Amino acid sequence: MNTSTALSVRDPWSLVPSLGNLDAYISAVNRLPMLTPQEEGSLARRLRDHGDIEAAGRLVLSHLRLVVSISRQYLGYGLPQGDLIQEGNVGLMKAVKRFDPEQGVRLVSYAMHWIKAEIHEYILRNWRMVKVATTKAQRKLFFNLRSMKQALKQGQGDAADADSYRSTLTPSEVARMAGELNVKPEEVVEMETRLSGGDVALDPPADDGDEAYTPIAYLADDRGEPTRALEARHRDWLAGDGIGQALEVLDARSRRIVEERWLKVNDDGSGGMTLHELAAEYGVSAERIRQIEVAAMKKMRKALETVEAL
């Protein structure tokens, strides 16, 4: 079964079973053929230029196995792999929507960031709930801790503390609860700490204004975001090899004018020669030097566009 046959159906998702049967789903996506670089580029351009939904579906389908592979890295958090895959698929679709085939990287490299970002967000949303009670003994502790704590406080005649769930348990109270519920004392302390702590919103409420500061502000790190990384790499290329190649298309005079006006930096931080200084050297007017400079810059831009299009 070749790629064109396997992925040319109008509804490509019909090739993949529901996530309700995880084994069948993983088996199916692992059988889907990968796209060649040429096929990937063609489909990405169809999506970008014409909004071709079938092309988007084929791009997504051919990378579902990547989501399955990445999801396995997060099984230790106690979340169902099916849910992790589902969230990762959302990230994959976002990557396909934003993918630019002209950037010179394959979709598999670009999509990894978006897949992991969605899975991370899902884990952050569910981590507190999952960690509260993961075993039968911990669930028993979860459901009995509040009432036992209040009973202990009331038995000590401390009515005020009975209404204050946030007060800390003493070592003797921790030991007593652990013995009655057949759990470790440290599990009692951990559960008490988790239940007495409030949830913290990752994003600020909509009406908090610009001064709101929540964990998302320091959890987010866009330095690894693929688009920014590609832009940075492109800027580095322009500042180095790109400028060098563009200068090669100029004649000697035009090249020296551009270098003096735009690229030269002296030890004292000053730039190169002025228009009038160059005019005096070449025996022409300052306006003529400016015209040569403008023409040279246009020629360089055209040369760079030609190189980038290759």
Side-chain angles (χ1 to χ4, degrees), residues 9-288:
V9 294
R10 179 59 57 183
D11 180 15
W13 290 102
S14 63
L15 296 169
V16 182
S18 168
L19 265 170
N21 187 337
L22 186 58
D23 291 337
Y25 175 88
I26 293 175
S27 177
V29 300
N30 284 334
R31 289 197 304 269
L32 292 173
M34 301 292 288
L35 297 173
T36 66
Q38 293 73 24
E39 289 172 328
E40 181 178 291
S42 175
L43 291 169
R45 292 183 187 94
R46 282 168 51 187
L47 174 60
R48 181 194 63 191
D49 300 336
H50 307 291
D52 191 328
I53 300 301
E54 183 179 356
R58 291 178 61 184
L59 288 169
V60 170
L61 276 174
S62 65
H63 288 79
L64 290 178
R65 69 179 69 192
L66 174 64
V67 178
V68 172
S69 177
I70 293 175
S71 72
R72 295 193 181 103
Q73 302 172 20
Y74 299 94
L75 295 179
Y77 289 92
L79 294 167
Q81 187 178 10
D83 291 350
L84 295 172
I85 292 174
Q86 182 170 293
E87 296 298 321
N89 286 345
V90 173
L92 173 59
M93 288 185 280
K94 289 182 178 180
V96 167
K97 181 179 179 181
R98 292 167 171 82
F99 180 59
D100 184 354
E102 314 305 338
Q103 294 288 0
V105 298
R106 295 294 302 273
L107 177 57
V108 64
S109 300
Y110 184 81
M112 289 181 67
H113 167 85
W114 296 98
I115 295 168
K116 290 182 178 181
E118 288 298 317
I119 292 177
H120 289 174
E121 178 66 21
Y122 175 69
I123 290 173
L124 284 173
R125 288 198 308 266
N126 291 274
W127 179 81
R128 174 180 163 84
M129 176 184 68
V130 171
K131 293 293 289 183
V132 161
T134 55
T135 67
K136 182 176 180 181
Q138 287 176 332
R139 287 194 291 271
K140 184 177 180 182
L141 173 61
F142 171 67
F143 287 113
N144 288 277
L145 183 58
R146 182 186 296 272
S147 59
M148 290 185 67
K149 184 175 180 180
Q150 290 180 343
L152 287 170
K153 296 298 183 183
Q154 288 174 337
Q156 297 169 358
D158 192 348
D161 281 344
D163 295 328
S164 177
Y165 181 72
R166 294 181 181 272
S167 59
T168 304
L169 291 169
T170 65
S172 60
E173 291 170 340
V174 168
R176 181 175 173 181
M177 285 187 179
E180 291 185 18
L181 297 174
N182 195 29
V183 295
K184 298 177 182 178
E186 52 266 31
E187 291 180 317
V188 175
V189 173
E190 180 184 4
M191 185 69 70
E192 196 271 340
T193 301
R194 293 185 183 281
L195 293 180
S196 63
D199 287 325
V200 178
L202 286 174
D203 290 303
D207 57 353
D208 272 7
D210 295 335
E211 298 301 319
Y213 188 78
T214 50
I216 197 66
Y218 51 85
L219 284 174
D221 183 0
D222 58 9
R223 289 175 297 180
E225 198 274 316
T227 302
R228 291 180 180 271
L230 290 172
E231 290 175 351
R233 189 173 69 179
H234 183 63
R235 287 194 300 270
D236 292 341
W237 177 82
L238 284 176
D241 294 341
I243 294 297
Q245 293 180 34
L247 286 170
E248 290 178 359
V249 305
L250 303 178
D251 60 80
R253 182 175 65 171
S254 297
R255 177 168 182 163
R256 182 159 185 271
I257 289 172
V258 170
E259 289 176 339
E260 289 288 342
R261 297 281 295 147
W262 293 96
L263 302 177
K264 188 173 182 179
V265 179
N266 297 319
D267 293 338
D268 59 1
S270 62
M273 300 172 68
T274 66
L275 290 174
H276 292 285
E277 290 171 339
L278 288 166
E281 179 178 326
Y282 287 105
V284 296
S285 66
E287 175 60 20
R288 178 57 183 155

